[in-house]
Amino acid sequence: MKRISLLLFIIIIMLAVNARSQYRVIDSLNLKLADARNDTMRLVLAQRLGWEWLNINCDTSLIYLNRYFELSGQLGYNINQADALHLKAFNYIYLANYAIALENLYKALDIADEADKNKKILPAVYLTLLQIPDSQQTYDKYKLNTLAYIHYTFALLYWINEREEQALHIQKFNEIAKQTKDITLMAQYYFWKGQTGIGSSDSAIYYMDQARSLFLKSRNRKLLGPLMEFIGLAYHTQNDHKSELKYLLLGLYYNTINDNIRNSGFSYLKLSGYYSEFQRTDSAIYYARRALAVAEKGNHPDLEVMAA
């Protein structure tokens, strides 16, 4: 219990610090955008800003992603157009506009297929700025990486709507992850296996431990927070509530330090549910209010409904 108290103390400190600096990455990217001297750099920064805003405010994210899509088309980078559409689809999933999300994903697949006509890829320096590893910077691997995320987003959309098509798309995602040996893709696949197999808690924890190990080695740590929370949920099914609370708090910690503001709202919501279950009413109300504040500030209707 002492470890959990220490973790809670650290998180409170992190929340106080992050309240003043949660937009530090965005502020830095905006400064670079103001100084950008060519459209290729503007394309890259539009993508980065769209990605960073995705878990803060969907409306703002979509503004940048529309610009990313336009610049990609003007400069002939079809793969990046497909990437823009997949990221837009993610926003529409968050906004519960599933029909438009699906439309964007099908368009992304069509444009990715067209990319083979010119096989144009961003120069390496710009791919590095997009956080694409050196090993994935050939045309074929970059296209596969983009297709993987399109299929992952398809799978997520179908999973939310309880459609069988999710299996086909996650299979394609896994095939690409194995083919490219990309650490981030493999981490996301293990995460998927864990979260969708939560009913079998031992195997779920195994897969999610594998995901955690890979995420810590990868370029993308924004999913560490949600991953910790799903591990907490697995412990909940085992009635190990001490471990459950530990991982819920770790979820909030990682969401906070990674500026994953939307998911921090869900962290507050899960903590509210935890304390409500054990009749800790004051704590439950406190975290529910924190969740509602995140929802109202960032235009997250699904979170707002659950937190109200």
Side-chain angles (χ1 to χ4, degrees), residues 219-254:
R219 65 190 181 278
N220 179 11
R221 297 190 175 188
K222 282 189 178 290
L223 286 177
L224 274 171
L227 173 64
M228 295 297 120
E229 292 165 358
F230 271 100
I231 293 176
L233 180 59
Y235 279 114
H236 177 83
T237 64
Q238 295 182 344
N239 293 316
D240 183 348
H241 299 300
K242 181 178 178 181
S243 295
E244 177 189 1
L245 179 58
K246 171 187 170 182
Y247 281 99
L248 290 180
L249 290 171
L250 280 171
L252 176 58
Y253 169 78
Y254 279 114

Side-chain angles (χ1 to χ4, degrees), residues 82 86 90 93 105-106 108-109 112-113 143-159 165-177 185 188 192:
H86 128 259
F90 236 112
I93 289 172
L105 289 170
Y106 276 118
L109 282 181
D113 286 340
K143 179 183 176 181
L144 282 172
N145 187 279
T146 304
L147 285 171
Y149 284 111
I150 294 170
H151 286 298
Y152 186 88
T153 311
F154 263 118
L156 177 63
L157 177 59
Y158 286 130
W159 178 67
E165 292 95 325
Q166 62 177 286
L168 171 65
H169 289 285
I170 206 63
Q171 179 183 344
K172 290 182 178 179
F173 177 84
N174 184 35
E175 289 170 358
I176 294 173
L185 296 182
Q188 286 191 227
W192 180 277

Side-chain angles (χ1 to χ4, degrees), residues 43 47 68-69 71-87 104 107-122 127 130 132 136-150:
L43 177 159
Q47 192 271 5
Y68 175 38
F69 180 81
L71 287 169
S72 298
Q74 290 169 14
L75 297 174
Y77 293 114
N78 299 116
I79 293 296
N80 296 90
Q81 280 190 297
D83 182 45
L85 289 168
H86 128 259
L87 289 171
N104 275 270
K107 285 182 180 177
L109 282 181
D110 289 341
I111 290 176
D113 286 340
E114 293 174 7
D116 286 342
K117 293 177 181 177
N118 60 18
K119 295 194 174 184
K120 189 174 181 180
I121 185 174
L122 287 166
L127 290 173
L130 287 176
I132 304 300
Q136 305 297 318
Q137 291 186 7
T138 66
Y139 169 80
D140 289 335
K141 287 189 175 181
Y142 186 44
K143 179 183 176 181
L144 282 172
N145 187 279
T146 304
L147 285 171
Y149 284 111
I150 294 170

